[in-house]
Amino acid sequence: MAKICVIGSCSMDLVVTSSKRPNAGETVLGESFATVPGGKGANQAVAAARLGAEVTMIGRIGDDHYGEAITNNFQINNVHMEHLKPVTGMETGTAHIILAEGDNSIIVVKGANDQVTPDCIEQALDTIRSSDMVLIQQEIPEETVTYVSDICHKFNVPLLLNPAPARPISESIIENATYLTPNEHECTVLFAGMSTAEALRKYPNKLFITEGSHGVRYYDGNQEVVVPTYKVEVIDTTGAGDTFNAAFAVALAEGKSLQDSVRFANRAASLSVTKFGAQGGMPTRAEVEESL
Ligand code: RIB
């Protein structure tokens, strides 16, 4: 069983569905409202656990009702929580999501996720060192991402950085990461002044650009490879990227080839968009294998 350590955000998603996205200064009437577990870190942890990995989450929640709900959700999904701690007097992170016109818009309020500091990482060093893969995103402080990338490099633990949401990052983080999985927008922020083709050639078998319904692009050392995705009926794309990253990490940690790992991850991500909510459609291992 692959051992995956996820370091990142745990949030509650407050989701409004509407036929129209409001313009600035405009009020529209929505159709529904739901509160569901989310946060890129938590989503990736749950997705990896459903795919059969042994997953430990390193994160921080508030000492509030949302924090409790997130803890219950991890328990149901078999995610280890010894390094998930509540921060006294802080609120759990929230994501304010509008689902309208076939896509989502999200504002994240980080709350306790900002307390995922290098000190939290120090407390979890044994877990990190014994992992087959560490998975990290950018809804936590940048200094923590830097710290984790140094630790993983030092102890030779493969690191998959999902650079979302986009922000410029240091050359050392890029060098220390084993795999980088930006989408097209994040790629332009990461490699400002470089074309996509140049960035891909600079980081063969390391940079994997997710291009939504067009699939995933990388450079294998000889040529650009595009692994196509699967056509499905889309209900909600929230969490598709998280499912991709988790499935990619699980497949790589199990020793699958790069191309097979991308294919497995594409399949998992395509299944995830067929249901409502970031985690609602995240498939089990059996569901991915049956559909492959
Ligand atoms: O990647 C999707 C996630 O991003 C949502 O669950 C929301 O929490 C935002 O952080």
Side-chain angles (χ1 to χ4, degrees), residues 139-201:
E139 289 180 332
I140 56 172
E142 187 180 352
E143 60 164 341
T144 308
V145 179
T146 304
Y147 197 73
V148 169
S149 82
D150 288 342
I151 298 270
C152 287
H153 181 67
K154 183 168 166 198
F155 295 118
N156 212 15
V157 180
L159 174 68
L160 194 164
L161 168 61
N162 170 217
R167 68 182 170 213
I169 57 175
S170 69
E171 191 66 31
S172 83
I173 296 182
I174 295 176
E175 289 306 325
N176 287 342
T178 319
Y179 305 104
L180 291 165
T181 54
N183 63 22
E184 289 156 290
H185 164 66
E186 289 150 5
C187 194
T188 61
V189 176
L190 236 54
F191 304 109
M194 253 190 244
S195 69
T196 302
E198 285 167 343
L200 284 167
R201 271 168 185 68

Side-chain angles (χ1 to χ4, degrees), residues 11-161:
S11 302
M12 194 52 82
D13 288 356
L14 313 180
V15 191
V16 171
T17 57
S18 163
S19 57
K20 185 181 185 309
R21 192 179 311 281
N23 294 316
E26 185 186 16
T27 300
V28 300
L29 296 178
E31 280 141 21
S32 68
F33 172 73
T35 308
V36 289
K40 293 185 192 302
N43 291 345
Q44 294 182 15
V46 167
R50 286 192 193 162
L51 293 169
E54 186 181 333
V55 182
T56 301
M57 178 79 213
I58 301 177
R60 291 294 179 268
I61 48 179
D63 58 347
D64 54 11
H65 177 64
Y66 288 160
E68 268 171 45
I70 286 169
T71 307
N72 291 340
N73 183 56
F74 278 144
Q75 202 156 19
I76 292 165
N77 284 284
N78 299 315
V79 173
H80 298 306
M81 292 183 279
E82 56 270 26
H83 297 295
L84 176 76
K85 297 190 179 147
V87 184
T88 308
M90 286 217 74
E91 287 171 1
T92 299
T94 47
H96 304 258
I97 303 181
I98 296 175
L99 285 186
E101 300 164 11
D103 212 341
N104 61 30
S105 352
I106 307 181
I107 297 179
V108 171
V109 180
K110 287 197 284 175
N113 293 313
D114 243 351
Q115 301 304 312
V116 183
T117 59
D119 189 47
C120 307
I121 305 306
E122 270 305 303
Q123 294 169 30
L125 276 189
D126 287 347
T127 302
I128 293 172
R129 288 179 68 171
S130 64
S131 297
D132 297 314
M133 180 79 71
V134 168
L135 194 46
I136 196 166
Q137 328 71 32
Q138 302 196 137
E139 289 180 332
I140 56 172
E142 187 180 352
E143 60 164 341
T144 308
V145 179
T146 304
Y147 197 73
V148 169
S149 82
D150 288 342
I151 298 270
C152 287
H153 181 67
K154 183 168 166 198
F155 295 118
N156 212 15
V157 180
L159 174 68
L160 194 164
L161 168 61

Side-chain angles (χ1 to χ4, degrees), residues 1-2 4 51-53 132-133 178-179 205 208 218 230 244 246-268 285-286 288-290 292:
M1 196 187 251
I4 307 279
L51 293 169
D132 297 314
M133 180 79 71
T178 319
Y179 305 104
N205 298 320
F208 294 79
Y218 68 102
Y230 298 80
F244 173 86
F248 192 39
V250 171
L252 290 167
E254 289 178 356
K256 285 189 173 36
S257 71
L258 283 177
Q259 195 155 353
D260 284 351
S261 297
V262 177
R263 200 172 290 126
F264 179 82
N266 276 352
R267 185 72 260 198
R285 181 64 173 240
V288 177
E289 277 168 1
E290 267 165 37
L292 273 172

